Amino acid sequence: MADSANSKNYGVPIYGAGWVPPSALRSAVEPQDDGGDKSSPESYVVLAGGGGEGNSGIRNALLVAQFDFDSNVLSDQPVARLGTGDDLPYRMAVHPVGEGLICSFPKSCRWFDWDFQRAENRSLGLISSERVLEPLQDVGQQLALTFNNEGSLLAVGGEDGKLRVYKWPSMENILDQDNAHASVKDLDFSPDGKFLASVGSGPCRIWDVSKSTSAASLKKENDEIFGSCRFSPINDENQVLYIITMRDQGGSVSKWSTATWKRIKSKRVVRDPICAFNVSPNGKLLAVGTIEGDVLIVSSNNFQVQNVVKKAHLGLVTTLKFSEDSRALLSSSLDSRVRVTIIKEEKKSGVSLWIVILVLLIAIAVFYAASNGIIS
């Protein structure tokens, strides 16, 4: 697959990806600003991956690439690269207000700070932080990492099935649950930070973070397998939880009420297994990625597929992330390819309907005029 403007091969199998928050750029620019416009026109994405242990020839690293929204172009090469030695950065969570990011490695989790390079290219980079996350040292491989919307809570889920929630940045432990699942596959906080959803083997579990207790257990139907979970980011009384479910017939999206924790509806959206999932910040769109490398954008309202990017990647999609303004979707894969898909607004059928109505009204008027001898 040849490179295109919005799809680049960076030579590293990508396991984690995310958008750099605009606040990270503003905080980096402000100290040397002269009081003028402090907004930054650049957009950056951060990537984590590599060849793992051994002598594969593919180095483990964190990468930063630049994206231009106006031209829909990803930088040909990463603008920054930070090697991580023999340790593969497997999962990653970007702090939502721009402090930095956390990565999980085979044995521990590490924190990284943004580094704004003001020399020749004025690009954004990363540096290893002096901050050591003591509670996350020698805890084994963590498969899920996430912050709440405010960045005041951090949840991590391990390959060993243990779930932990900490206050950030103090790392005070407020939830420590052994055997939350056989293995924790995904985590997500509700928009208000009150609840945390966890997915692994068995049911999806809901945790009341403020009380540090289990709040609900969402049961599977028949031969379903739960995959990813994401709350709707719309912070109102009608917020919902989406869960990816898989059967032999393909991948489906299910919607659950956060008031009753009952399933509202489910719909199959693709025949292939789903391996990546995300919800847009405005709550209007869902994105799914398949093991065949396809990326689908789905309406959260009716679960209709709005756009399909066939073979967006040559292998299974590892990460999907909407931009903060919901204008674009970042996707990555083990094929070392990173892609940004600009979201096209769904065409409204109402325009063509009004045209039909107008034509009908004109026809009726002409018929009426002809019947009454107004026109001959």
Side-chain angles (χ1 to χ4, degrees):
M1 182 187 294
D3 281 357
S4 58
N6 66 330
S7 178
K8 304 294 181 180
N9 187 322
Y10 291 140
V12 175
I14 306 297
Y15 289 89
W19 293 89
V20 178
S23 54
L25 301 178
R26 287 194 294 268
S27 62
V29 172
E30 283 174 6
Q32 297 188 30
D33 235 335
D34 58 4
D37 182 10
K38 297 182 180 180
S39 62
S40 177
E42 302 98 343
S43 291
Y44 292 91
V45 297
V46 59
L47 317 163
E53 296 184 28
N55 299 314
S56 67
I58 302 175
R59 295 182 178 180
N60 302 309
L62 297 175
L63 312 176
V64 179
Q66 191 169 358
F67 179 71
D68 188 313
F69 270 96
D70 293 336
S71 59
N72 189 20
V73 173
L74 269 168
S75 56
D76 289 333
Q77 298 295 328
V79 297
R81 182 187 298 263
L82 179 63
T84 59
D86 291 333
D87 292 333
L88 173 69
Y90 184 64
R91 288 290 184 266
M92 178 182 71
V94 178
H95 193 272
V97 297
E99 287 188 21
L101 62 89
I102 182 174
C103 277
S104 70
F105 293 91
K107 296 180 180 179
S108 303
C109 294
R110 290 163 55 189
W111 181 256
F112 298 86
D113 294 316
W114 302 117
D115 180 31
F116 193 76
Q117 306 292 334
R118 287 191 161 272
E120 297 178 0
N121 58 5
R122 292 172 55 86
S123 63
L124 187 75
L126 283 166
I127 55 175
S128 295
S129 175
E130 295 181 357
R131 176 189 293 177
V132 178
L133 307 177
E134 291 291 352
L136 296 179
Q137 301 302 299
D138 298 317
V139 293
Q141 182 71 70
Q142 301 302 296
L143 301 182
L145 305 168
T146 189
F147 287 99
N148 66 345
N149 284 353
E150 296 179 351
S152 59
L153 296 174
L154 168 67
V156 299
E159 192 173 38
D160 59 0
K162 187 165 185 173
L163 171 65
R164 302 173 176 89
V165 179
Y166 300 96
K167 289 184 179 180
W168 184 265
S170 68
M171 294 300 291
E172 176 189 344
N173 183 240
I174 60 172
L175 179 63
D176 196 314
Q177 182 69 41
D178 289 322
N179 303 315
H181 302 276
S183 182
V184 180
K185 294 190 292 187
D186 200 17
L187 296 168
D188 196 46
F189 282 102
S190 59
D192 57 10
K194 182 178 179 181
F195 296 108
L196 175 72
S198 65
V199 169
S201 57
C204 171
R205 301 189 67 178
I206 307 298
W207 308 88
D208 188 322
V209 179
S210 61
K211 298 178 181 178
S212 301
T213 59
S214 176
S217 181
L218 312 187
K219 303 296 184 182
K220 301 184 294 182
E221 292 181 352
N222 302 324
D223 59 342
E224 280 183 334
I225 297 175
F226 283 167
S228 303
C229 60
R230 289 291 181 274
F231 282 94
S232 165
I234 300 176
N235 193 4
D236 56 27
E237 295 180 356
N238 298 317
Q239 65 185 14
V240 295
L241 173 68
Y242 298 100
I243 301 176
I244 292 298
T245 63
M246 284 168 286
R247 288 175 168 165
D248 291 340
Q249 301 94 326
S252 300
V253 179
S254 61
K255 180 186 288 187
W256 301 72
S257 166
T258 58
T260 63
W261 300 116
K262 301 294 185 182
R263 188 187 304 236
I264 299 172
K265 67 175 181 178
S266 295
K267 183 177 180 179
R268 189 184 75 174
V269 295
V270 65
R271 293 186 177 183
D272 296 317
I274 296 172
C275 51
F277 179 60
N278 201 235
V279 180
S280 64
N282 62 16
K284 296 180 180 180
L285 299 173
L286 315 176
V288 298
T290 73
I291 63 170
E292 298 297 327
D294 298 337
V295 172
L296 295 84
I297 297 173
V298 181
S299 168
S300 65
N301 183 42
N302 53 19
F303 289 0
Q304 292 293 322
V305 177
Q306 293 187 187
N307 187 28
V308 179
V309 184
K310 296 290 291 183
K311 297 298 179 183
H313 299 276
L314 296 178
L316 64 85
V317 180
T318 51
T319 308
L320 291 170
K321 292 288 185 181
F322 282 97
S323 59
E324 191 174 89
D325 57 8
S326 303
R327 292 169 56 198
L329 176 68
L330 171 67
S331 59
S332 64
S333 171
L334 296 182
D335 68 356
S336 304
R337 187 165 296 277
V338 177
R339 179 188 177 95
V340 176
T341 302
I342 297 295
I343 307 299
K344 297 179 181 178
E345 291 189 13
E346 187 178 19
K347 293 182 179 179
K348 302 295 183 181
S349 59
V351 175
S352 58
L353 177 62
W354 280 113
I355 293 175
V356 172
I357 293 173
L358 179 60
V359 171
L360 287 174
L361 289 174
I362 293 173
I364 292 171
V366 171
F367 176 78
Y368 177 81
S371 300
N372 289 274
I374 298 175
I375 59 176
S376 57

